[in-house]
């Protein structure tokens, strides 16, 4: 049987498990399993956890939520490595459970805060598939807001179809457009708000999300449409305070062209792009609504531990 760490690594890499928050939670649950596995003593278990963490972090490079979750759990493990094995395990499992619960509460809090930003008759455009955005929009609908949503398909993997299905199953009037119709539809349908999720947010307020997000943000600015990012703080990059940048994932050409090639043509498949802070109006986080300029302060306040390592 395949080792659980290898299995989850492969699930994340192949995007069977996807979405920035979901991959962080999947990695946390995997480390929880490793924490309950056989070991002779604390140093041995700590070694196992570090090996597993390294493997999990290598599954996909761009969403900072993945290393943030793993690094946090390893930080707690390191801090408690003086404890004897059973006590070490107990402490660690408790911390992982608390961490996972905090992520779920963050999602809920963002939905609550975000719903208050939505007005009756708002026409919202979203790109790709973000659980955070889905939750926010569904909460607004449940709170009685009469809204409609336009989803972009999000080639090449069509995650926009997932969003459209989810929101329409919830009873929300939903339309689907091809990615290249975004500008025209934003203008003709008179979109009120664009709301997207995030994979990584830098201290500068620049934000990484699914490929195509940045051009939608530029269109939103041209048309004077609010551009809102809904994101848990787990997607903020503490290392960006020190100038560090994540690797931008480039996926297999076979996701774009079934055969993987067009004779004589190089097929490129970048999975993410960076939206400049200048094009972002606000971030909705579990700590409240903040402008891009406030990301720096939030990072210093909430992720000080990360910079101590
Ligand atoms: P939640 C996804 O990445 C999308 O880019 C989405 O906007 C972002 O993660 C955040 O998703 P991918 O895994 O955490 O589809 O809000 O490449 O679910």
């Amino acid at each position: 049987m395949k080792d659980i760490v290898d299995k989850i690594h492969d699930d994340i890499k192949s995007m069977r498990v996807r979405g920035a928050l979901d991959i962080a939670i999947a990695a946390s649950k995997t480390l929880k399993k490793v924490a309950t596995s056989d070991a002779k003593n604390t140093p041995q278990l700590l070694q196992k956890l570090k090996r597993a963490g390294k493997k999990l972090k290598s599954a996909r490079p761009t969403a900072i939520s993945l290393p943030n979750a793993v690094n946090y759990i390893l930080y707690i493990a390191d801090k408690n490595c003086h404890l004897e094995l059973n006590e070490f395990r107990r402490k660690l499992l408790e911390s992982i459970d608390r961490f996972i619960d905090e992520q779920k509460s963050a999602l809920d809090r963002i939905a609550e805060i975000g719903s208050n930003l939505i007005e009756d008759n708002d026409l919202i455009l979203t790109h790709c598939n973000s659980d955070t955005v889905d939750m926010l929009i569904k909460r607004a609908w449940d709170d009685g807001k009469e809204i409609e949503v336009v989803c972009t398909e999000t080639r090449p993997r069509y995650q926009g179809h997932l969003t459209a299905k989810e929101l329409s199953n919830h009873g929300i009037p939903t339309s689907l457009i091809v990615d290249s119709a975004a500008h025209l539809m934003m203008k003709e349908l008179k979109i009120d708000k664009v709301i997207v999720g995030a994979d990584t947010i830098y201290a500068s307020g620049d934000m990484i999300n699914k490929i195509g997000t940045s051009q939608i943000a530029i269109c939103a600015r041209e048309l004077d449409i609010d551009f809102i990012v809904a994101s848990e703080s787990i997607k903020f990059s503490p290392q960006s305070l020190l100038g560090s940048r994540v690797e931008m994932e480039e996926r297999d050409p076979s996701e774009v062209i079934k055969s993987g090639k067009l004779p004589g043509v190089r097929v490129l498949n970048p999975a993410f792009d960076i939206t400049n802070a200048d094009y972002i109006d606000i971030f909705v986080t579990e700590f409240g609504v903040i402008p891009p300029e406030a990301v720096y302060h939030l990072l210093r306040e909430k992720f000080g531990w990360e910079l101590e390592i």
Side-chain angles (χ1 to χ4, degrees), residues 103-218:
Q103 302 316 312
K104 292 182 180 156
S105 322
L107 194 59
D108 197 54
R109 183 85 186 107
I110 290 170
E112 188 188 333
I113 299 171
S115 167
N116 288 326
L117 300 172
I118 309 291
E119 291 165 63
D120 245 344
N121 300 315
D122 266 355
L123 182 54
I124 300 165
L125 181 134
T126 188
H127 182 60
C128 196
N129 177 246
S130 152
D131 283 348
T132 319
V133 174
D134 284 1
M135 286 273 282
L136 188 162
I137 292 175
K138 288 194 286 184
R139 180 69 63 89
W141 177 260
D142 293 344
D143 287 345
K145 311 271 169 77
E146 291 283 334
I147 52 174
E148 285 190 34
V149 180
V150 176
C151 304
T152 52
E153 281 199 307
T154 321
R155 260 189 65 80
R157 296 185 64 104
Y158 302 103
Q159 291 103 315
H161 291 201
L162 299 173
T163 309
K165 217 186 288 170
E166 170 99 18
L167 298 179
S168 125
N169 284 344
H170 200 74
I172 304 171
T174 304
S175 314
L176 186 74
I177 58 170
V178 296
D179 301 319
S180 42
H183 181 256
L184 181 75
M185 291 292 102
M186 285 163 85
K187 192 151 117 186
E188 301 237 312
L189 299 175
K190 298 197 175 17
I191 296 283
D192 296 291
K193 293 179 173 72
V194 172
I195 311 182
V196 294
D199 290 84
T200 294
I201 298 166
Y202 289 142
S204 59
D206 293 348
M207 184 275 297
I208 299 174
N209 193 47
K210 184 56 52 194
I211 190 77
T213 304
S214 65
Q215 59 202 22
I216 293 175
I218 293 167

Side-chain angles (χ1 to χ4, degrees), residues 7-241:
K7 183 189 173 305
I8 300 299
H9 168 275
D10 293 354
D11 284 350
I12 294 174
K13 195 177 165 69
S14 63
M15 293 177 70
R16 275 191 295 276
V17 175
R18 53 149 294 278
L21 186 62
D22 279 353
I23 62 177
I25 291 179
S28 309
K29 289 184 174 164
T30 309
L31 288 177
K32 193 176 158 188
K33 290 210 174 101
V34 176
T36 55
S37 67
D38 288 342
K40 281 205 208 78
N41 50 35
T42 303
Q44 198 185 67
L45 189 54
L46 186 61
Q47 266 321 100
K48 272 181 134 179
L49 285 160
K50 287 190 172 167
R51 246 196 328 267
K54 194 170 172 201
K55 175 91 194 186
L56 291 166
K57 284 197 283 186
S58 71
R60 286 184 78 191
T62 306
I64 199 82
S65 47
L66 178 61
N68 274 353
V70 170
N71 290 348
Y72 176 72
I73 292 167
L74 294 180
Y75 166 76
I76 299 291
D78 258 333
K79 230 173 71 170
N80 290 292
C81 67
H82 59 281
L83 298 174
E84 86 50 53
L85 185 61
N86 285 337
E87 185 54 12
F88 173 75
R89 253 197 242 279
R90 195 191 60 73
K91 242 232 136 88
L92 190 60
L93 294 178
E94 199 180 273
S95 301
I96 298 176
D97 281 339
R98 194 175 332 113
F99 175 74
I100 294 173
D101 284 349
E102 277 168 13
Q103 302 316 312
K104 292 182 180 156
S105 322
L107 194 59
D108 197 54
R109 183 85 186 107
I110 290 170
E112 188 188 333
I113 299 171
S115 167
N116 288 326
L117 300 172
I118 309 291
E119 291 165 63
D120 245 344
N121 300 315
D122 266 355
L123 182 54
I124 300 165
L125 181 134
T126 188
H127 182 60
C128 196
N129 177 246
S130 152
D131 283 348
T132 319
V133 174
D134 284 1
M135 286 273 282
L136 188 162
I137 292 175
K138 288 194 286 184
R139 180 69 63 89
W141 177 260
D142 293 344
D143 287 345
K145 311 271 169 77
E146 291 283 334
I147 52 174
E148 285 190 34
V149 180
V150 176
C151 304
T152 52
E153 281 199 307
T154 321
R155 260 189 65 80
R157 296 185 64 104
Y158 302 103
Q159 291 103 315
H161 291 201
L162 299 173
T163 309
K165 217 186 288 170
E166 170 99 18
L167 298 179
S168 125
N169 284 344
H170 200 74
I172 304 171
T174 304
S175 314
L176 186 74
I177 58 170
V178 296
D179 301 319
S180 42
H183 181 256
L184 181 75
M185 291 292 102
M186 285 163 85
K187 192 151 117 186
E188 301 237 312
L189 299 175
K190 298 197 175 17
I191 296 283
D192 296 291
K193 293 179 173 72
V194 172
I195 311 182
V196 294
D199 290 84
T200 294
I201 298 166
Y202 289 142
S204 59
D206 293 348
M207 184 275 297
I208 299 174
N209 193 47
K210 184 56 52 194
I211 190 77
T213 304
S214 65
Q215 59 202 22
I216 293 175
I218 293 167
C219 295
R221 176 54 50 87
E222 191 219 54
L223 299 166
D224 200 21
I225 296 169
D226 292 343
F227 187 88
I228 301 171
V229 180
S231 170
E232 301 77 22
S233 59
I234 189 78
K235 297 163 192 165
F236 287 62
S237 163
Q239 297 86 352
S240 68
L241 285 166

